[in-house]
Amino acid sequence: TMKATFMNLKSLACALAVSFFLASCEKEVDSVAPDSALQASGEQAAKSATSQADQEFDREMQQVINSMMQQMNQMEMTCDPDIDFSNMMIMHHEMGIRMADIELAYGHEPRGLELAAQTKEANQASKERLQAFLASHPTPEPLSKEDCKLFMMEMKKDMQRMMQCMRQVRDTPDPDIDFANLMICHHQGALAMSNTELKWGDDAPALEEAELIIEEQAQEVIELSEFINAHGVPTKKGESL
């Protein structure tokens, strides 16, 4: 019938339209696929390189932390708070400098790199002042046996709290955030050690340096915290919390 013929023609037209559409899609896919594949390949390569850099950052940072804590634990104490504080703080500053160098090598956020350069410069300057003090104060003036025991116990607790803080830092895929969190723990250790020096020390240069460290590093803790809050903490999937 006329209607049946029309329906058959309509079905044929639809079939031809579908065939044409599929053919067009295939051609479009054929033309787009290479670019998409290249883009996906490039993104995968970039992701792999970023992951590898993060692993290198973590490895180097852990080496620095382990090495410096071993040195500080093995340091011979004189029971002169000013000398012991200066020697320990020099090691502490060296640790901070090396941590900053790692961030400068692997970080990518301008503010994170700026904070690393800032803490490196401040730690280096403080280290040199403490070295000058030690050169002018070579002979220990030890505390009494009982006070020495208390002083050493407090210094040991200061270091243990710093290490505990660092161990509790959650690893992320972002070196800038990891550096900031670890450096906050590092600075908190310096603040605690400086307060212990203010309690037990009596030499003006060492006491003044302890006060300056508290002032500078307390401010840096604030700046590092602000950076973390502004930047966001990434998850392992690369998302920010």
Side-chain angles (χ1 to χ4, degrees):
T1 64
M2 182 74 69
K3 184 175 182 180
T5 303
F6 176 76
M7 290 300 296
N8 288 335
L9 289 172
K10 184 176 181 182
S11 298
L12 179 61
C14 288
L16 290 172
V18 169
S19 299
F20 177 77
F21 175 76
L22 291 175
S24 298
C25 288
E26 288 175 0
K27 290 179 180 178
E28 186 176 351
V29 169
D30 288 343
S31 63
V32 173
D35 291 339
S36 298
L38 286 173
Q39 182 178 357
S41 176
E43 289 175 354
Q44 187 63 34
K47 186 176 180 181
S48 177
T50 299
S51 176
Q52 185 175 355
D54 179 57
Q55 290 175 14
E56 286 296 311
F57 170 90
D58 292 340
R59 182 183 63 79
E60 291 186 26
M61 193 65 76
Q62 195 58 53
Q63 284 180 344
V64 168
I65 294 170
N66 292 341
S67 172
M68 197 55 60
M69 287 310 301
Q70 183 178 7
Q71 289 182 44
M72 293 177 76
N73 286 329
Q74 292 175 348
M75 191 190 89
E76 292 186 13
M77 304 289 278
T78 67
C79 279
D80 180 326
D82 303 295
I83 289 179
D84 292 342
F85 163 74
S86 298
N87 279 318
M88 291 183 72
M89 192 54 67
I90 286 171
M91 292 183 185
H92 189 268
H93 285 333
E94 288 173 347
M95 177 182 180
I97 291 167
R98 290 171 66 186
M99 288 170 67
D101 282 337
I102 295 171
E103 162 64 8
L104 292 171
Y106 293 99
H108 51 81
E109 286 292 329
R111 182 56 176 158
L113 298 173
E114 181 183 358
L115 289 169
Q118 174 181 311
T119 196
K120 179 179 179 178
E121 182 180 356
N123 282 350
Q124 183 62 39
S126 181
K127 173 185 171 182
E128 291 173 4
R129 289 191 296 268
L130 288 166
Q131 288 173 328
F133 164 70
L134 288 173
S136 66
H137 188 84
T139 306
E141 299 170 1
L143 297 168
S144 67
K145 187 175 181 180
E146 187 61 30
D147 285 347
C148 176
K149 183 178 178 180
L150 294 172
F151 165 72
M152 290 179 66
M153 185 171 60
E154 289 186 30
M155 276 292 186
K156 184 176 181 180
K157 283 183 179 179
D158 295 340
M159 288 191 295
Q160 287 175 340
R161 288 193 188 103
M162 181 182 74
M163 280 305 299
Q164 184 179 10
C165 178
M166 286 184 163
R167 290 192 190 102
Q168 290 176 345
V169 169
R170 182 170 64 88
D171 181 42
T172 78
D174 190 328
D176 299 289
I177 291 296
D178 292 348
F179 164 76
N181 278 317
L182 289 169
M183 190 55 71
I184 286 174
C185 293
H186 181 266
H187 284 351
Q188 288 173 342
L191 296 175
M193 291 166 64
S194 296
N195 277 312
T196 299
E197 160 63 12
L198 292 177
K199 178 179 177 180
W200 293 100
D202 60 8
D203 275 288
L207 294 172
E208 290 170 3
E209 191 61 37
E211 290 175 347
L212 183 58
I213 288 169
I214 290 172
E215 179 184 348
E216 289 183 348
Q217 300 208 2
Q219 179 60 34
E220 287 188 21
V221 167
I222 294 172
E223 293 173 353
L224 288 162
S225 299
E226 289 174 344
F227 168 69
I228 293 171
N229 290 336
H231 186 51
V233 180
T235 65
K236 280 297 181 184
K237 295 180 180 179
E239 300 169 348
S240 293
L241 297 177

